[in-house]
Coordinates of all heavy atoms in Angstrom, one line a residue:
M402 N -144.6 -80.9 0.6 CA -145.5 -79.9 1.2 C -145.2 -79.8 2.7 O -145.6 -80.7 3.5 CB -147.0 -80.3 1.0 CG -147.4 -80.3 -0.4 SD -149.1 -80.3 -0.9 CE -150.0 -80.8 0.4
D403 N -144.5 -78.8 3.0 CA -144.0 -78.6 4.4 C -145.0 -77.7 5.2 O -144.7 -77.5 6.4 CB -142.6 -78.1 4.5 CG -142.4 -76.8 3.8 OD1 -143.4 -76.3 3.2 OD2 -141.3 -76.2 3.9
D404 N -146.0 -77.2 4.6 CA -146.9 -76.4 5.3 C -148.3 -77.0 5.5 O -149.3 -76.3 5.8 CB -147.1 -75.0 4.6 CG -147.6 -75.1 3.2 OD1 -147.7 -76.3 2.7 OD2 -147.9 -74.1 2.6
L405 N -148.5 -78.3 5.3 CA -149.7 -79.0 5.5 C -149.7 -79.7 6.9 O -148.8 -80.5 7.1 CB -150.0 -80.0 4.4 CG -151.2 -80.8 4.5 CD1 -152.5 -79.9 4.4 CD2 -151.2 -81.9 3.4
I406 N -150.7 -79.4 7.7 CA -150.8 -80.1 9.0 C -152.1 -80.8 9.0 O -153.2 -80.2 8.7 CB -150.8 -79.1 10.1 CG1 -149.4 -78.4 10.2 CG2 -151.1 -79.8 11.5 CD1 -149.3 -77.3 11.2
I407 N -152.1 -82.1 9.3 CA -153.3 -82.9 9.4 C -153.5 -83.2 10.9 O -152.6 -83.7 11.6 CB -153.2 -84.2 8.6 CG1 -153.1 -83.8 7.1 CG2 -154.5 -85.1 8.8 CD1 -152.8 -85.0 6.2
F408 N -154.7 -82.9 11.4 CA -155.0 -83.2 12.8 C -156.3 -84.0 12.9 O -157.3 -83.7 12.2 CB -155.2 -81.8 13.5 CG -155.6 -81.9 15.0 CD1 -154.7 -82.2 15.9 CD2 -156.9 -81.8 15.3 CE1 -155.0 -82.3 17.3 CE2 -157.3 -81.9 16.7 CZ -156.3 -82.1 17.6
W409 N -156.3 -85.0 13.6 CA -157.5 -85.8 13.9 C -157.6 -86.2 15.3 O -156.6 -86.2 16.0 CB -157.5 -87.1 13.0 CG -156.6 -88.1 13.4 CD1 -156.8 -89.2 14.2 CD2 -155.2 -88.2 13.0 NE1 -155.7 -89.9 14.3 CE2 -154.7 -89.3 13.6 CE3 -154.4 -87.5 12.1 CZ2 -153.3 -89.7 13.4 CZ3 -153.1 -87.8 12.0 CH2 -152.6 -89.0 12.6
A410 N -158.8 -86.5 15.8 CA -158.9 -86.8 17.2 C -159.7 -88.1 17.3 O -160.6 -88.4 16.6 CB -159.7 -85.6 17.9
D411 N -159.4 -88.8 18.3 CA -160.1 -90.0 18.7 C -161.4 -89.6 19.3 O -161.5 -88.8 20.2 CB -159.3 -90.8 19.7 CG -159.9 -92.2 20.1 OD1 -161.0 -92.5 19.6 OD2 -159.3 -92.9 20.9
M412 N -162.5 -90.2 18.7 CA -163.8 -89.8 19.2 C -164.3 -90.7 20.4 O -165.4 -90.5 20.8 CB -164.8 -89.9 18.0 CG -164.6 -89.0 16.9 SD -164.4 -87.2 17.4 CE -166.0 -86.9 18.1
G413 N -163.5 -91.5 20.9 CA -163.8 -92.3 22.0 C -164.7 -93.5 21.7 O -164.8 -93.9 20.5
Q414 N -165.4 -94.1 22.7 CA -166.1 -95.3 22.5 C -167.6 -95.1 22.6 O -168.4 -96.0 22.7 CB -165.7 -96.3 23.6 CG -164.3 -96.7 23.5 CD -164.0 -97.4 22.2 OE1 -164.7 -98.3 21.8 NE2 -162.9 -97.0 21.5
A415 N -168.1 -93.8 22.5 CA -169.6 -93.6 22.5 C -170.2 -94.3 21.3 O -169.7 -94.2 20.1 CB -169.9 -92.1 22.4
D416 N -171.3 -95.0 21.5 CA -171.9 -95.7 20.4 C -172.3 -94.9 19.2 O -172.2 -95.3 18.1 CB -173.2 -96.4 21.0 CG -173.0 -97.5 21.9 OD1 -171.8 -98.1 21.9 OD2 -173.9 -97.9 22.7
E417 N -172.6 -93.6 19.5 CA -173.0 -92.7 18.4 C -171.9 -92.5 17.4 O -172.1 -92.1 16.3 CB -173.4 -91.3 19.0 CG -174.7 -91.4 19.8 CD -174.6 -91.8 21.2 OE1 -173.5 -92.2 21.6 OE2 -175.6 -91.8 21.9
F418 N -170.6 -92.7 17.9 CA -169.5 -92.4 17.0 C -168.9 -93.7 16.4 O -168.0 -93.7 15.6 CB -168.4 -91.7 17.8 CG -168.8 -90.4 18.3 CD1 -168.6 -90.1 19.6 CD2 -169.3 -89.4 17.5 CE1 -168.9 -88.9 20.1 CE2 -169.7 -88.2 18.0 CZ -169.5 -87.9 19.3
L419 N -169.5 -94.9 16.7 CA -169.0 -96.2 16.3 C -169.9 -96.9 15.3 O -169.6 -98.0 14.9 CB -168.7 -97.1 17.5 CG -167.7 -96.6 18.5 CD1 -167.6 -97.5 19.7 CD2 -166.3 -96.4 17.9
T420 N -170.9 -96.2 14.8 CA -171.8 -96.8 13.9 C -171.5 -96.3 12.4 O -170.8 -95.4 12.2 CB -173.3 -96.5 14.2 OG1 -173.5 -95.1 14.0 CG2 -173.6 -96.8 15.7
L421 N -172.2 -97.0 11.5 CA -172.2 -96.5 10.1 C -172.8 -95.2 9.9 O -172.5 -94.4 9.0 CB -172.8 -97.6 9.2 CG -172.0 -98.9 9.1 CD1 -172.8 -99.9 8.2 CD2 -170.6 -98.7 8.6
E422 N -173.8 -94.8 10.8 CA -174.5 -93.6 10.7 C -173.4 -92.5 11.0 O -172.8 -92.5 12.1 CB -175.6 -93.5 11.7 CG -176.2 -92.2 12.0 CD -176.8 -91.5 10.8 OE1 -177.5 -92.2 10.0 OE2 -176.5 -90.3 10.6
T423 N -173.3 -91.5 10.2 CA -172.2 -90.5 10.3 C -172.7 -89.1 10.9 O -171.9 -88.3 11.1 CB -171.6 -90.2 8.9 OG1 -172.6 -89.7 8.0 CG2 -171.0 -91.5 8.4
S424 N -174.0 -89.0 11.2 CA -174.4 -87.6 11.5 C -173.8 -87.1 12.8 O -173.5 -85.9 12.9 CB -176.0 -87.6 11.6 OG -176.4 -88.5 12.6
H425 N -173.5 -87.9 13.8 CA -172.9 -87.4 15.0 C -171.5 -87.0 14.8 O -171.0 -86.0 15.2 CB -173.0 -88.5 16.1 CG -174.3 -88.6 16.7 ND1 -175.3 -89.4 16.1 CD2 -174.9 -88.2 17.8 CE1 -176.4 -89.3 16.8 NE2 -176.2 -88.6 17.9
R426 N -170.7 -87.8 14.0 CA -169.3 -87.4 13.7 C -169.3 -86.2 12.8 O -168.5 -85.3 13.1 CB -168.7 -88.6 13.0 CG -168.4 -89.8 13.8 CD -167.6 -90.9 13.2 NE -168.1 -91.4 11.9 CZ -169.0 -92.4 11.8 NH1 -169.3 -93.0 13.0 NH2 -169.4 -92.8 10.7
E427 N -170.2 -86.1 11.9 CA -170.3 -84.8 11.1 C -170.7 -83.6 11.9 O -170.2 -82.5 11.6 CB -171.2 -85.1 9.9 CG -170.7 -86.0 8.9 CD -171.8 -86.4 7.9 OE1 -172.9 -86.1 8.0 OE2 -171.4 -87.1 6.9
G428 N -171.5 -83.8 12.9 CA -171.9 -82.7 13.7 C -170.7 -82.2 14.5 O -170.5 -81.0 14.6
V429 N -169.9 -83.1 15.1 CA -168.7 -82.7 15.8 C -167.7 -82.0 14.8 O -167.2 -81.0 15.1 CB -168.0 -84.0 16.4 CG1 -166.6 -83.6 17.0 CG2 -168.9 -84.6 17.5
E430 N -167.6 -82.6 13.6 CA -166.7 -82.0 12.7 C -167.1 -80.6 12.3 O -166.3 -79.7 12.2 CB -166.6 -82.9 11.4 CG -165.6 -82.4 10.4 CD -165.5 -83.3 9.1 OE1 -166.2 -84.3 9.1 OE2 -164.8 -82.9 8.2
Y431 N -168.4 -80.4 12.1 CA -168.9 -79.0 11.8 C -168.5 -78.0 12.9 O -168.0 -76.9 12.7 CB -170.4 -79.1 11.5 CG -171.0 -77.7 11.4 CD1 -170.9 -77.0 10.2 CD2 -171.6 -77.1 12.5 CE1 -171.4 -75.7 10.1 CE2 -172.2 -75.8 12.3 CZ -172.0 -75.1 11.1 OH -172.5 -73.9 11.0
L432 N -168.9 -78.4 14.2 CA -168.6 -77.5 15.3 C -167.1 -77.2 15.5 O -166.7 -76.1 15.7 CB -169.2 -78.1 16.6 CG -170.8 -78.1 16.6 CD1 -171.2 -78.9 17.8 CD2 -171.4 -76.7 16.5
V433 N -166.3 -78.3 15.3 CA -164.8 -78.1 15.4 C -164.3 -77.1 14.4 O -163.6 -76.2 14.7 CB -164.1 -79.4 15.3 CG1 -162.6 -79.3 15.1 CG2 -164.4 -80.3 16.6
Q434 N -164.7 -77.3 13.1 CA -164.3 -76.5 12.1 C -164.7 -75.0 12.3 O -164.0 -74.1 12.0 CB -164.7 -77.0 10.7 CG -164.0 -78.2 10.3 CD -164.3 -78.7 8.9 OE1 -164.8 -77.9 8.1 NE2 -164.1 -79.9 8.6
R435 N -166.0 -74.9 12.7 CA -166.5 -73.5 13.0 C -165.6 -72.8 14.0 O -165.3 -71.6 13.9 CB -167.9 -73.6 13.4 CG -168.6 -72.2 13.4 CD -170.1 -72.3 13.7 NE -170.2 -72.5 15.1 CZ -171.4 -72.7 15.7 NH1 -172.5 -72.8 15.0 NH2 -171.4 -72.9 17.0
Q436 N -165.3 -73.5 15.1 CA -164.4 -72.9 16.1 C -163.0 -72.7 15.7 O -162.4 -71.6 16.0 CB -164.4 -73.8 17.4 CG -165.8 -73.8 18.1 CD -165.7 -74.7 19.3 OE1 -164.9 -74.5 20.2 NE2 -166.7 -75.6 19.4
L437 N -162.5 -73.6 14.9 CA -161.1 -73.5 14.5 C -160.9 -72.4 13.5 O -159.8 -71.8 13.4 CB -160.6 -74.9 13.9 CG -160.3 -75.9 15.0 CD1 -159.7 -77.2 14.3 CD2 -159.3 -75.4 16.0
R438 N -161.9 -72.1 12.7 CA -161.7 -71.0 11.7 C -161.4 -69.7 12.4 O -160.6 -68.9 12.0 CB -163.0 -70.9 10.9 CG -163.2 -72.0 9.8 CD -164.4 -71.8 8.9 NE -164.9 -73.0 8.3 CZ -164.2 -73.7 7.4 NH1 -163.0 -73.3 7.0 NH2 -164.8 -74.7 6.8
T439 N -162.1 -69.5 13.6 CA -161.8 -68.3 14.4 C -160.5 -68.4 15.0 O -159.7 -67.4 14.9 CB -162.9 -68.2 15.4 OG1 -164.2 -68.1 14.8 CG2 -162.7 -66.9 16.3
V440 N -160.1 -69.5 15.6 CA -158.8 -69.6 16.3 C -157.7 -69.4 15.3 O -156.7 -68.7 15.6 CB -158.7 -71.0 17.0 CG1 -157.3 -71.3 17.5 CG2 -159.7 -71.1 18.1
L441 N -157.8 -70.1 14.2 CA -156.7 -70.1 13.2 C -156.5 -68.7 12.5 O -155.4 -68.3 12.2 CB -156.8 -71.2 12.2 CG -156.7 -72.6 12.8 CD1 -157.1 -73.6 11.7 CD2 -155.4 -72.9 13.3
A442 N -157.6 -68.1 12.3 CA -157.6 -66.8 11.6 C -156.9 -65.7 12.5 O -156.3 -64.8 11.9 CB -159.0 -66.3 11.3
R443 N -156.9 -65.9 13.8 CA -156.2 -65.0 14.7 C -154.7 -65.2 14.8 O -154.0 -64.4 15.4 CB -156.8 -65.0 16.1 CG -158.3 -64.6 16.1 CD -158.8 -64.7 17.5 NE -160.2 -64.3 17.5 CZ -161.1 -64.6 18.5 NH1 -160.7 -65.3 19.5 NH2 -162.3 -64.1 18.4
G444 N -154.2 -66.3 14.3 CA -152.8 -66.6 14.4 C -151.9 -65.8 13.5 O -152.4 -65.1 12.6
K445 N -150.6 -66.0 13.7 CA -149.7 -65.3 12.8 C -148.7 -66.4 12.3 O -148.0 -66.9 13.1 CB -148.9 -64.2 13.6 CG -149.8 -63.1 14.0 CD -149.1 -61.9 14.3 CE -149.9 -60.8 14.9 NZ -150.7 -60.0 14.2
P446 N -148.7 -66.7 11.1 CA -149.6 -66.2 10.0 C -151.0 -66.9 10.2 O -151.2 -67.9 10.8 CB -149.0 -66.7 8.7 CG -148.3 -68.0 9.1 CD -147.8 -67.8 10.5
P447 N -152.0 -66.2 9.7 CA -153.4 -66.7 9.8 C -153.5 -68.0 8.9 O -152.9 -68.1 7.8 CB -154.3 -65.6 9.2 CG -153.4 -64.7 8.5 CD -152.0 -64.9 9.1
L448 N -154.1 -69.0 9.4 CA -154.3 -70.3 8.7 C -155.8 -70.5 8.4 O -156.6 -69.8 9.0 CB -153.7 -71.4 9.6 CG -152.3 -71.3 10.0 CD1 -151.9 -72.4 11.0 CD2 -151.4 -71.3 8.8
T449 N -156.1 -71.5 7.6 CA -157.4 -71.8 7.3 C -157.7 -73.3 7.3 O -156.8 -74.1 7.1 CB -157.9 -71.2 6.0 OG1 -159.3 -71.3 5.8 CG2 -157.1 -71.8 4.8
V450 N -158.9 -73.7 7.5 CA -159.3 -75.1 7.4 C -159.7 -75.3 6.0 O -160.5 -74.5 5.4 CB -160.5 -75.3 8.4 CG1 -161.0 -76.8 8.2 CG2 -160.1 -75.1 9.8
I451 N -159.2 -76.4 5.4 CA -159.5 -76.6 4.0 C -160.6 -77.6 3.7 O -160.8 -78.0 2.6 CB -158.3 -76.9 3.2 CG1 -157.6 -78.2 3.7 CG2 -157.3 -75.8 3.1 CD1 -156.5 -78.7 2.9
S452 N -161.3 -78.1 4.8 CA -162.3 -79.0 4.6 C -163.7 -78.4 4.8 O -163.8 -77.3 5.4 CB -162.1 -80.1 5.7 OG -163.2 -81.0 5.7
K453 N -164.7 -79.0 4.3 CA -166.0 -78.4 4.4 C -167.0 -79.5 5.0 O -166.9 -80.7 4.6 CB -166.6 -78.0 3.1 CG -166.3 -76.6 2.7 CD -167.1 -76.4 1.5 CE -167.0 -75.0 0.9 NZ -167.7 -74.9 -0.3
V454 N -167.9 -79.1 5.8 CA -168.9 -80.0 6.3 C -170.1 -79.2 6.6 O -170.0 -78.0 7.0 CB -168.5 -80.9 7.5 CG1 -168.2 -80.0 8.7 CG2 -169.4 -82.0 7.8
R455 N -171.3 -79.7 6.5 CA -172.5 -79.0 6.7 C -173.0 -79.3 8.1 O -172.9 -80.4 8.7 CB -173.6 -79.4 5.7 CG -173.3 -79.0 4.3 CD -174.4 -79.3 3.4 NE -173.9 -79.1 2.0 CZ -174.6 -79.4 1.0 NH1 -175.7 -80.0 1.1 NH2 -174.1 -79.2 -0.2
S456 N -173.7 -78.3 8.7 CA -174.4 -78.5 9.9 C -175.5 -79.5 9.8 O -176.1 -79.7 8.7 CB -175.0 -77.1 10.4 OG -175.6 -77.3 11.6
N457 N -175.9 -80.2 10.9 CA -177.0 -81.1 10.9 C -177.7 -81.0 12.2 O -177.3 -80.3 13.1 CB -176.6 -82.5 10.5 CG -175.6 -83.1 11.5 OD1 -175.8 -83.0 12.7 ND2 -174.7 -83.9 11.0
R458 N -178.7 -81.8 12.4 CA -179.5 -81.8 13.6 C -178.8 -82.1 14.9 O -179.2 -81.8 16.0 CB -180.8 -82.6 13.4 CG -180.5 -84.1 13.4 CD -181.7 -85.0 13.0 NE -181.5 -86.4 13.2 CZ -180.6 -87.1 12.5 NH1 -179.9 -86.6 11.5 NH2 -180.5 -88.4 12.7
T459 N -177.7 -82.9 14.7 CA -176.9 -83.3 15.9 C -176.1 -82.2 16.6 O -175.7 -82.4 17.7 CB -176.0 -84.5 15.6 OG1 -175.0 -84.1 14.7 CG2 -176.8 -85.7 14.9
V460 N -175.9 -81.1 15.9 CA -175.0 -80.1 16.5 C -175.6 -79.5 17.8 O -174.9 -78.9 18.6 CB -174.7 -78.9 15.5 CG1 -173.9 -79.5 14.3 CG2 -175.9 -78.2 15.1
Q461 N -176.9 -79.7 18.1 CA -177.5 -79.2 19.3 C -177.4 -80.2 20.4 O -177.8 -79.9 21.6 CB -178.9 -78.9 19.0 CG -179.1 -77.8 18.0 CD -180.5 -77.4 17.7 OE1 -181.4 -77.8 18.4 NE2 -180.8 -76.8 16.6
L462 N -176.9 -81.4 20.2 CA -176.9 -82.5 21.2 C -175.7 -82.2 22.2 O -174.6 -81.9 21.7 CB -176.7 -83.9 20.6 CG -177.9 -84.3 19.7 CD1 -177.6 -85.6 19.1 CD2 -179.2 -84.4 20.6
P463 N -175.9 -82.3 23.5 CA -174.8 -82.1 24.4 C -173.6 -83.0 24.1 O -172.4 -82.6 24.3 CB -175.4 -82.5 25.8 CG -176.9 -82.2 25.6 CD -177.2 -82.6 24.2
L464 N -173.8 -84.3 23.8 CA -172.6 -85.2 23.4 C -171.8 -84.6 22.3 O -170.6 -84.6 22.4 CB -173.2 -86.6 23.1 CG -172.1 -87.6 22.6 CD1 -171.1 -87.9 23.7 CD2 -172.7 -88.8 22.1
V465 N -172.5 -84.1 21.3 CA -171.8 -83.6 20.1 C -171.0 -82.3 20.5 O -169.9 -82.1 20.1 CB -172.7 -83.4 18.9 CG1 -172.1 -82.7 17.8 CG2 -173.3 -84.8 18.5
Q466 N -171.7 -81.4 21.2 CA -171.1 -80.2 21.6 C -169.9 -80.4 22.5 O -168.8 -79.8 22.3 CB -172.1 -79.3 22.3 CG -173.2 -78.8 21.3 CD -174.3 -78.0 22.0 OE1 -174.3 -77.9 23.3 NE2 -175.2 -77.4 21.3
S467 N -170.0 -81.3 23.5 CA -168.9 -81.5 24.4 C -167.7 -82.2 23.7 O -166.6 -81.9 23.9 CB -169.3 -82.3 25.6 OG -169.7 -83.6 25.3
S468 N -168.0 -83.1 22.8 CA -167.0 -83.7 22.0 C -166.2 -82.7 21.1 O -165.0 -82.7 21.0 CB -167.6 -84.8 21.1 OG -168.1 -85.9 21.9
A469 N -167.0 -81.8 20.5 CA -166.3 -80.8 19.7 C -165.4 -79.9 20.5 O -164.3 -79.5 20.1 CB -167.4 -79.9 18.9
N470 N -165.9 -79.5 21.7 CA -165.1 -78.6 22.6 C -163.9 -79.3 23.0 O -162.8 -78.7 23.1 CB -166.0 -78.2 23.8 CG -167.0 -77.2 23.4 OD1 -167.0 -76.5 22.4 ND2 -168.1 -77.1 24.2
E471 N -164.0 -80.6 23.3 CA -162.8 -81.4 23.7 C -161.8 -81.5 22.6 O -160.6 -81.3 22.8 CB -163.2 -82.8 24.1 CG -162.1 -83.6 24.6 CD -162.6 -85.0 25.0 OE1 -163.7 -85.1 25.5 OE2 -161.8 -86.0 24.9
V472 N -162.2 -81.7 21.3 CA -161.3 -81.7 20.2 C -160.6 -80.4 20.0 O -159.4 -80.3 19.8 CB -162.1 -82.1 18.9 CG1 -161.2 -82.0 17.7 CG2 -162.6 -83.6 19.0
V473 N -161.4 -79.3 20.1 CA -160.8 -77.9 19.9 C -159.7 -77.7 21.0 O -158.7 -77.2 20.8 CB -161.8 -76.8 19.9 CG1 -161.2 -75.5 19.9 CG2 -162.7 -77.0 18.6
G474 N -160.1 -78.1 22.3 CA -159.2 -77.9 23.4 C -157.9 -78.7 23.2 O -156.8 -78.2 23.4
R475 N -158.0 -79.9 22.7 CA -156.8 -80.7 22.4 C -156.0 -80.1 21.3 O -154.7 -80.1 21.3 CB -157.2 -82.2 22.0 CG -157.5 -83.0 23.2 CD -157.6 -84.5 22.9 NE -159.1 -84.7 22.7 CZ -159.6 -85.8 22.0 NH1 -158.8 -86.6 21.4 NH2 -160.9 -86.0 22.0
F476 N -156.6 -79.6 20.3 CA -155.9 -78.9 19.2 C -155.1 -77.7 19.8 O -154.0 -77.5 19.4 CB -156.9 -78.4 18.1 CG -156.3 -77.6 17.0 CD1 -155.9 -78.3 15.9 CD2 -156.1 -76.3 17.1 CE1 -155.3 -77.6 14.8 CE2 -155.5 -75.6 16.1 CZ -155.1 -76.3 14.9
Q477 N -155.8 -76.9 20.6 CA -155.1 -75.7 21.1 C -153.9 -76.1 22.0 O -152.9 -75.5 22.0 CB -156.1 -74.9 21.9 CG -157.1 -74.2 21.0 CD -158.1 -73.4 21.8 OE1 -158.8 -73.9 22.6 NE2 -158.2 -72.1 21.4
V478 N -154.1 -77.2 22.8 CA -152.9 -77.6 23.6 C -151.8 -78.1 22.8 O -150.6 -77.8 23.0 CB -153.4 -78.7 24.6 CG1 -152.2 -79.5 25.2 CG2 -154.3 -78.2 25.7
H479 N -152.1 -79.0 21.8 CA -151.1 -79.6 20.9 C -150.4 -78.5 20.1 O -149.2 -78.6 20.0 CB -151.8 -80.6 20.0 CG -150.8 -81.3 19.2 ND1 -150.0 -82.4 19.7 CD2 -150.4 -81.2 17.9 CE1 -149.2 -82.8 18.7 NE2 -149.4 -82.1 17.6
F480 N -151.1 -77.6 19.5 CA -150.5 -76.6 18.6 C -150.2 -75.3 19.3 O -149.7 -74.3 18.7 CB -151.3 -76.4 17.4 CG -151.3 -77.6 16.5 CD1 -152.4 -78.4 16.5 CD2 -150.2 -77.9 15.7 CE1 -152.5 -79.6 15.6 CE2 -150.2 -79.0 14.9 CZ -151.3 -79.9 14.9
G481 N -150.5 -75.1 20.6 CA -150.2 -73.9 21.3 C -151.1 -72.7 20.8 O -150.7 -71.6 20.9
S482 N -152.2 -73.1 20.3 CA -153.1 -72.0 19.7 C -153.7 -71.2 20.9 O -153.9 -71.7 22.0 CB -154.3 -72.6 18.9 OG -153.8 -73.3 17.8
R483 N -154.1 -70.0 20.6 CA -154.8 -69.2 21.6 C -156.0 -68.6 20.9 O -156.0 -68.2 19.8 CB -153.9 -68.1 22.2 CG -153.2 -67.3 21.1 CD -151.9 -66.7 21.7 NE -151.2 -66.0 20.6 CZ -150.5 -66.6 19.7 NH1 -150.4 -67.9 19.7 NH2 -149.9 -65.9 18.8
Q484 N -157.0 -68.5 21.7 CA -158.3 -68.0 21.2 C -158.4 -66.5 21.4 O -157.9 -66.0 22.3 CB -159.4 -68.8 21.8 CG -160.7 -68.7 21.0 CD -161.6 -69.8 21.5 OE1 -161.4 -70.6 22.3 NE2 -162.8 -69.8 20.8

């Protein structure tokens, strides 16, 4: 499979991301996927995210929002994406 790209990001050392509780990580994942769907759909050729995650109460937290924005920014730098 030469057309599959896997991208992951280090979530840092924030306690919220280092516990067994997954809601903060899932909140970041949801926000990242929501933003990347738009970024990738505008590319040539258009690409899609093949993972699914649901929104949860943590998506409104500043830590989760800033972490998601950081991940999307790193994705765009690494892959040369433009929004």
